[in-house]
Amino acid sequence: MDPELQRTVLLTGVDLAAFLGHRDRLIADLEAQHPDVQFHVRDEVLSLRGPADEVRQAEEVVNEVLEVARRSGAVSGQDVREVTRMVQRGDGPTAAQVLSEPILTVRGNAVRPQTAGQRSYVDAIDRNTIVFGIGPAGTGKTYLAMAKAVQALQRREVAKIILTRPAVEAGERLGYLPGSLEDKIDPYLRPLFDAVGSMMDPDLVPRLLANGTIEVAPLAYMRGRTLNESFVILDEAQNTTPEQMKMFLTRLGYGSKMVVTGDITQVDLPIAASGLRVVNRILRGVEDVHFAELTADDIVRHSLVGRIVDAYSVYEESRQQRKDGAP
């Protein structure tokens, strides 16, 4: 039987109230990840008691979480889960190195990767001209790409940000929606407007939209253009046709960067093949093009979302096996 061990960690270098959270939420998050360890905090001292191996691992997690907080501010339950996962794997850089470096600070809050997969995705955007971010809902594909776009604009690495989406009907016909063509298309682009607003000063966004520094438009509006000195994001790319994907990628101009995001399990195209699936086969291995694969482990929404994604993946795999006649 593993002998019992007690260790203490000094919680210095952070705002203790912010670090522990409302009603010591951090302790509850640690207990959820390490159920065999008892955590007790008094003043600036956190005590851990339990089986020796469990306590040593939990102590390492606490120290990593503490270092993340020192570097980037408050930490979340997602941080605790990801740090625990990285400590258990025990390979690669420390959790603090992976999770703590912010992309932006918006209204006092740091925008940063919250999983190792997200950090790899952000680093790929820095290193490559075209990056495909492929993964399920909630993995931060568009949010992190938007943060990198705003960062590039603030650093004057680009002159404008262009955000685009295919206006594909998902169970509802555009023609039956009320209003003008612009009114009909607006709901498809609204998530991009919302993302811009969450990354910048709300008073600044309308001015940047009005002078063309930020452009939000349907994918069809990209045809015939050359996009120079721009950070271009194509969202919901699983709903492009192969022809639309080729059209979009060949808009790339000098001094520009492109990020293409999508979830190949949520294709709304009625008949045509998804351009995101096809381009994965065509461009994989091409220099300066990177495919970042995000998974359910990178979901930073409610933990139930990850379980839903996993359940659907199992179901789809089983259905495909039956279709293929597999045993």
Side-chain angles (χ1 to χ4, degrees), residues 123-131 257-258 287-290:
D123 289 345
I125 293 174
D126 286 332
R127 294 193 305 266
N128 298 273
T129 299
I130 297 177
V131 172
K257 188 180 287 283
M258 285 181 164
E287 184 180 356
D288 212 16
V289 175
H290 181 84

Side-chain angles (χ1 to χ4, degrees), residues 33-160:
Q33 298 301 313
H34 307 278
D36 295 329
V37 178
Q38 298 174 20
F39 297 86
H40 177 72
V41 65
R42 183 172 182 178
D43 297 327
E44 293 185 337
V45 177
L46 176 63
S47 301
L48 300 82
R49 181 192 292 273
D53 288 345
E54 293 285 338
V55 167
R56 291 190 189 96
Q57 186 179 90
E59 181 185 21
E60 186 177 354
V61 168
V62 170
N63 282 318
E64 287 285 351
V65 170
L66 188 59
E67 186 60 26
V68 171
R70 286 169 178 157
R71 296 188 187 192
S72 62
V75 293
S76 65
Q78 171 64 35
D79 291 321
V80 174
R81 289 191 293 274
E82 184 62 18
V83 169
T84 301
R85 188 156 50 221
M86 295 182 71
V87 167
Q88 288 172 345
R89 284 201 302 261
D91 57 353
T94 67
Q97 290 172 318
V98 171
L99 303 179
S100 62
E101 184 181 346
I103 302 170
L104 295 171
T105 300
V106 183
R107 294 183 280 280
N109 296 316
V111 178
R112 58 180 173 83
Q114 295 187 55
T115 69
Q118 288 187 351
R119 170 55 65 186
S120 178
Y121 172 50
V122 168
D123 289 345
I125 293 174
D126 286 332
R127 294 193 305 266
N128 298 273
T129 299
I130 297 177
V131 172
F132 292 84
I134 302 173
T139 50
K141 305 180 298 294
T142 305
Y143 186 75
L144 292 172
M146 192 75 69
K148 293 301 293 182
V150 172
Q151 181 191 62
L153 186 67
Q154 291 177 344
R155 292 177 174 178
R156 302 185 185 277
E157 296 169 354
V158 296
K160 67 187 302 183

